[in-house]
Amino acid sequence: MSVAISFKDIVKKYGDTTVIPELSLDIQKGEFFTLLGPSGCGKTTLLRMVAGFNSIEGGDLGFNDKVMNTVPPGKRNIGMVFQNYAIFPHLNVAENVAFGLQNRKVSKEEQQRRVGEILDTVQIEVYKNRMPKNLSGGQQQRVALARAIVINPDVLLMDEPLSNLDAQLRVDMRNAIKRIQREVGITTVYVTHDQEEAMAVSDRIAVMKSGIIQQVGTPRDVYQRPANLFVATFIGRTNVIEAQLEAGAEGKAVLRIGSSYTFEMPELLPEVTPADAVEVKISVRPEEFVLSEDGLGLTGKVVNNVFLGLNTHLVVELENGQEVEIIQQSAVSTVVDIGRKVTLAILSGTVNVYDASGERNLNRGAHL
Amino acid sequence: MSGRMKRLDIWSLITFIIFAGYLVFLALPLFMLLIKSFFDGTTGEFSLAYFHKFFSKAYYMNAVWNSIKVTVSVTLLSILVAGPLAYIMTVAKIKGSATVRILILISSMSAPFIGAYAWILLLGRSGVITTFLSSVFGIRMPDIYGFSGILLVLTLQLSPLIFMYVSGALKNVDNSLMEAAESMNCTGLRKMWKILVPLITPTLLAGGLLVFMRAFADFGTPMLIGEGYRTVPVLIFNEFISEVGGDDGFAAAISVIVVLFAVAVFLVQKFVANRKSYSMSALNPIEPKKLKGFANVAAHAYVYLFTLLALLPQGYVAYTSFLKTSGKIFVDGYSLDSYRAAFSKVGDSIYNTFMMASITIIIITLAAVLIAYVTVKRKGAVANVLDTFTMLPYIVPGSILGIALLVTFNKEPLVLSGTAVILIAAFVIRRLPYTIRSSAAVLHQVNDSIEEAAISLGASTMRTFFKITVPMMISGVFAGAIISWISIITELSTSIILYTGNTRTMTVAVYTEVVRGNYGVAAALSTLLTAITVVSLLLFFKLSGKKEVTM
């Protein structure tokens, strides 16, 4: 039985230090939800509050409509996957997976059946009788996952489960996790600091910083319409450039970058059509720059080029001295030599415009 | 991330019970000792007379200087002897080095006074070596009694500790550090002095402290081989035993001074060591290389000579245990007379030792599991105090703990003096730390999330502890328990204070038989002790899969 999870004005304090000030969030039933943020942002703290390992100093944590604040971890019916797997080293694979079932007084036959089933699902049934020390990292990961979901938990919690694996395995495992979660349909809360991993597995992502949620949205939302500059720079790579927003013809907003480069911005919020010029910051992803053929755009000089197979990265120094990063498909162009003068145009439809503080996205359709 | 919920649970109760045990059997006795030292024994009034007496008489101060002289010399000499030994065994391929390590370990596990008595047999006035040299070559050996004898015995007995400590530290020194130094043209002795010595300084300090405390507290060695060279433990023993009922207040006063001194040394060591500690773990440890020519011969000679000297006492004692005896004298020929005599005369001491040590080790195992868990996984104010309590036996000499227990439990409401209970209590307090440390070391490796995993899967606190935590720490517990066991059966300084006719242990029996000149029986008992030690150590190696012991 999956549940919806609600956080209402949740507060976490360690002594006098407030780590999470009044956080509210709703996670839907059956959703794969990811808490994403740099280390120390409070994502693990939040997860451990759901698990019951961290106390809650204010507000309510609810599973469906039941307040869970003081329910001990063992009674929450959660399945948890730990960063270091926390496999019991003295029990074999089957015994590890059966541990939670034994605590639930499930009959021997039932235990065997369910353990067999779940080992089949995570594809490690052949290692059933192995001891953990004879398993690879990825296999241990699967045991941890099987152990967490075999008890039919209401919520599956995962704390950076892939951070101890090497790069290739990480990609394989995240696909496996996503597939298994879809099969069993458990509400899942997933913690990671890896934005690519978050985008690969999640239905929705909450980006956190200093205990505060910066944005909640689908992977596409947080990448294409980041709510503020922090999200824009944390998710993917981006170039932040100073610009001015001016009133153009027919009350349309025009973005001016440097002295001569301007283009219309039709997709801004209605209230931001300015009479006088205002300072703004724009976030341009490396792939949103194109080398201009018609001479219109920002002029600069190539200072570095890196060929990476599929893509080529260019670093261009603009006239004001700022360096920006550009990604081009290697196939469509030859490598641009260092020192060459280039003109960069921006794909105006995708660029994000922020107020001068970087706190607010001025594009239409970029809300929390 | 920390932030475990503070719950009043079964662990609070367990902590409380252990805490109460320490209060009754350690804190209270030490406090009673303090009280006794400040109140006149006959009038019951507050008085500083004992302290005045101690500091004003050259007789007593002399013992203090003797003790300091012995202790400092033994500590320095042990470092000088065992430091190079550990270095050689780390960098050079020595033939049979695994065996050498085990032999050195065995030599350190016996009771020091057995070494003293063996060296008397070897180098004493009528010792075999002395008589051999004087009759064949006419060489007169220097006098072994007094300071030089104590120095010889304690250095050979305690330098293995330094050896084990330094070997352990050297194993954690990454070879790339050495190579880095060499690449910057820092080689040979300069490399050792500039890189290696600073890295192992914290270890030298820790090992040095252990040697210092053991040498300082040792009672049997100066008693046997000192011949009038009085050290403080001898002084305390004489004051306490010879004037029972009369002036144990004075013994208490000396004890208080000794404990304060030991605490001061401990704190200074801690202060210095804390400022110089590094955390190291070697990805590529230093590999022993095969030396060539003279260096190879010298390295082997040094290692073998040390091992031989360290094992000589136990070996010779074992040899004499099989000699034919006539009365108290060894005569030509071999027999098992000494063993027969030992079993018939002091068989009860063998039984006592096994009985009391077994009960002690059961209590120690239980307590160590619980204490290790509380101090490692349930950090807090109470756990910290508990941690300090478990450290105290390192500082308080055994004879002083014995006296403290005796003055506390020789009157109502709790009369324990003369019973096995008081000995067991003393053994538990003194030998618990080995098992705690070994258990805690394993527990430190166990990530908190293992328990959280069990709890999140619905296991209760107790089920988690018994099904998950205990099985994971059991290897450390057993390994520590074996070391505790060996150190219980070879314990002398507390038992000699606490024993009565019914609770005599093997070490006490050996000691009294040596004093009486009954060398055959003493040798048989000592050899038995050595045999048990060796068997226990082999068990330790088998169980722990380790090749060394952490003290």
Side-chain angles (χ1 to χ4, degrees), chain A residues 1-5 28-31 63-64 77 152-156 181 184-188:
Chain A
M1 250 305 285
S2 246
V3 296
I5 308 170
Q28 254 104 67
K29 191 180 154 188
E31 187 175 29
F63 284 8
N64 288 338
N77 198 28
N152 292 335
D154 292 341
V155 182
L156 179 62
Q181 193 267 347
V184 291
I186 312 171
T187 312
T188 300

Side-chain angles (χ1 to χ4, degrees), chain B residues 196-268:
Chain B
L196 211 52
V197 171
L199 286 177
I200 63 168
T201 300
T203 311
L204 282 178
L205 286 170
L209 178 76
L210 193 67
V211 169
F212 188 96
M213 292 298 178
R214 294 236 180 141
F216 187 65
D218 187 63
F219 153 81
T221 307
M223 203 69 180
L224 287 178
I225 210 170
E227 286 207 343
Y229 192 85
R230 260 187 327 279
T231 61
V232 174
V234 174
L235 191 66
I236 294 174
F237 179 76
N238 285 340
E239 288 300 325
F240 189 74
I241 295 299
S242 63
E243 300 178 50
V244 176
D247 220 0
D248 49 355
F250 185 55
I254 307 174
S255 304
V256 169
I257 295 165
V258 167
V259 170
L260 287 180
F261 175 72
V263 169
V265 170
F266 175 75
L267 290 179
V268 168

Side-chain angles (χ1 to χ4, degrees), chain B residues 105-135:
Chain B
L105 183 58
I106 290 172
S107 78
S108 75
M109 287 283 175
S110 72
F113 74 94
I114 293 180
Y117 124 70
W119 281 110
I120 293 175
L121 293 183
L122 290 164
L123 287 179
R125 279 180 205 98
S126 48
V128 272
I129 298 178
T130 321
T131 17
F132 176 77
L133 288 180
S134 69
S135 60

